[in-house]
Each structure stands twice: as structure tokens, then as C-alpha cells.
Amino acid sequence: MIDLYTWTTPNGRKASIALEEMGLPYTAQAVDITKDEQFKPDFLKISPNNRIPAIVDHDNGLALMESGAILLYLAEKTGKLLPKNPEQRYRVTEWLMWQMGGIGPMLGQVHHFAKYNPGKAPYAEERFLKEANRLYGVLDRRLTEREYVADEYSIADISIWPWISRYEWQQIDFGRYPNVKRWYTQIAKRPAVQKGYDVPKKVNDIPIPA
Ligand SMILES: N[C@@H](CCC(=O)N[C@@H](CS)C(=O)NCC(=O)O)C(=O)O
């Protein structure tokens, strides 16, 4: 059994969606980051960076933070959503790292400046909205001739998708990114994604672009 320490955010949803897709039994432990629960000493022992998500795998006692590491661990544990073939495996790793280094941090800044603090730092809003659109453009080109970012549905898609689900916060015009819209909408229909989205609790329906 796995304990998943999580909250209703893109990084948290990556882990719950992966657990659902892989059919692994787990218990969701809510860490309410709006109440600073991520700074509790007990959580610090599991997640030294004080951030969700984190897991504890009671099969072997392993505690792990960082959503990218968690996705790789779960994929290796189950043999699912990460191809065995080295070239395909590194393609998935490449796009997972692209998410971890680009999509996550940059869209996170968009949320901070443009959604929660509009007008306070116009230069930062402009910079991060521009970068968000650049990243959406990269993803759209990648999806032009393939169904998923690394051909087969994988942990790379699972890492990116919850960030795109906040497209309204990011002021994204899907008219510019038709391939991202198609990919996003298709993944949103997956039962495991719908279930994982509502962990540790339901906040809203999955947004679907018109
Ligand atoms: N690189 C980390 C980022 C994790 C992260 O930023 N988590 C946010 C929620 S999405 C968090 O715990 N924030 C709490 C805080 O900022 O104190 C990962 O991918 O796991």
C-alpha cells in the first residue's frame, strides 16, 4: 500500500492520476498547503523540500518527494506508462524533464503573478505569460503528428496534463494551439484521470475548452 501526500494542485494531481492509471492501491493523505500543513515537522521527514506531492511505499519503506521522481518510481514499480525500449524510454524522460524544468515552474509563475497578484508586477506578468505561450507552442508542434508527446500515452503526458488543465488561469487562447486542445480534451475523458483529478477532494469539474 502507498500513502500519497497531496493537495488539489497540478503537481499533486500528477501523482494521483498516475496511481489511478496504474491501478495501484493507495491512501490519499491531504496536506492543506493553504493552511501551511506542508511545514509540519512530520511532513518534513517525508518531503525535505516541504512540498507536495510525496509518497511512502509501505512495501519497502521508501519515502519520495518530487513529482517527476514519483512518476518514474511508480512506472518502474508497475512496468506501466514508461516504455522498456531505450529510445522510447528516453523520449518519455525527455518530455517529463521538459515539464519539470519548464511547464511546471513557468506556469507556476503565471499563476502567482497573473492569476493571484494581477497588476502588482506588470513586467513579470508579461514575461511569464509570454513564456507560457512559447511553451504551449512547443507542445502544440510536438503534438502535430503524434497522439501523445512520446507517441504512446505515458507518464510524460500525465506530468503535463494537470498544468494545462489550468489554461484559464494562464489566459490561453486554444485557437492558437489546436493540437494541445485535442490532446488535452482526449486525456480529460480517461476515467483514471477523472478519478485522480478529484484527489484528495473534489474542487471543480475538469475544465473543458469550448
Ligand atoms: N518540483 C516539485 C514542485 C512541488 C510543488 O511546488 N508543490 C506545490 C503545490 S503544486 C507545493 O507544495 N507548494 C507549497 C508551498 O509553496 O509552500 C514537484 O514537482 O514535486
Side-chain angles (χ1 to χ4, degrees):
M1 184 62 110
I2 290 174
D3 278 330
L4 168 64
Y5 294 81
T6 192
W7 193 240
T8 55
T9 69
N11 287 319
R13 286 175 176 144
K14 288 183 212 172
S16 48
I17 289 171
L19 284 158
E20 294 292 342
E21 290 281 12
M22 293 168 188
L24 280 168
Y26 69 101
T27 311
Q29 311 282 350
V31 179
D32 187 343
I33 62 173
T34 69
K35 294 190 180 139
D36 280 353
E37 287 179 2
Q38 70 274 30
F39 297 111
K40 286 186 176 170
D42 279 355
F43 183 60
L44 183 69
K45 285 184 205 148
I46 296 163
S47 182
N49 196 36
N50 294 107
R51 293 200 162 192
I52 62 95
I55 58 166
V56 176
D57 185 344
H58 293 286
D59 284 353
N60 53 18
L62 181 78
L64 209 55
M65 64 169 188
E66 282 294 328
S67 59
I70 292 169
L71 292 182
L72 286 167
Y73 174 74
L74 297 176
E76 283 179 350
K77 181 181 172 84
T78 58
K80 292 181 182 167
L81 300 173
L82 179 64
K84 298 266 179 298
N85 167 288
E87 194 180 331
Q88 293 167 343
R89 196 177 181 87
Y90 278 106
R91 203 56 68 207
V92 170
T93 310
E94 174 184 62
W95 285 91
L96 175 65
M97 296 301 154
W98 177 78
Q99 185 284 312
M100 293 300 295
I103 283 278
M106 294 300 119
L107 298 187
Q109 297 300 327
V110 170
H111 298 173
H112 179 78
F113 288 108
K115 158 87 177 159
Y116 286 113
N117 295 285
K120 283 192 192 162
Y123 174 72
E125 281 183 58
E126 184 195 323
R127 174 176 162 79
F128 292 116
L129 284 168
K130 192 171 165 204
E131 177 63 358
N133 277 282
R134 190 191 69 79
L135 289 164
Y136 269 76
V138 172
L139 183 57
D140 201 71
R141 280 196 301 282
R142 180 73 191 162
L143 292 167
T144 305
E145 286 174 4
R146 46 179 67 76
E147 201 171 354
Y148 298 105
V149 290
D151 296 310
E152 300 279 304
Y153 181 63
S154 72
I155 53 171
D157 300 286
I158 292 174
S159 72
I160 302 165
W161 185 89
W163 283 99
I164 305 302
S165 77
R166 296 225 157 135
Y167 63 88
E168 289 159 318
W169 296 18
Q170 298 149 11
Q171 304 171 26
I172 293 299
D173 169 10
F174 270 121
R176 294 173 63 188
Y177 312 112
N179 299 302
V180 179
K181 183 180 173 185
R182 184 255 310 147
W183 166 90
Y184 171 77
T185 310
Q186 191 166 315
I187 293 175
K189 290 181 190 149
R190 296 178 70 91
V193 171
Q194 294 173 0
K195 221 170 153 205
Y197 187 85
D198 290 342
V199 174
K201 61 172 185 174
K202 179 163 178 147
V203 179
N204 54 269
D205 289 338
I206 295 176
I208 299 295

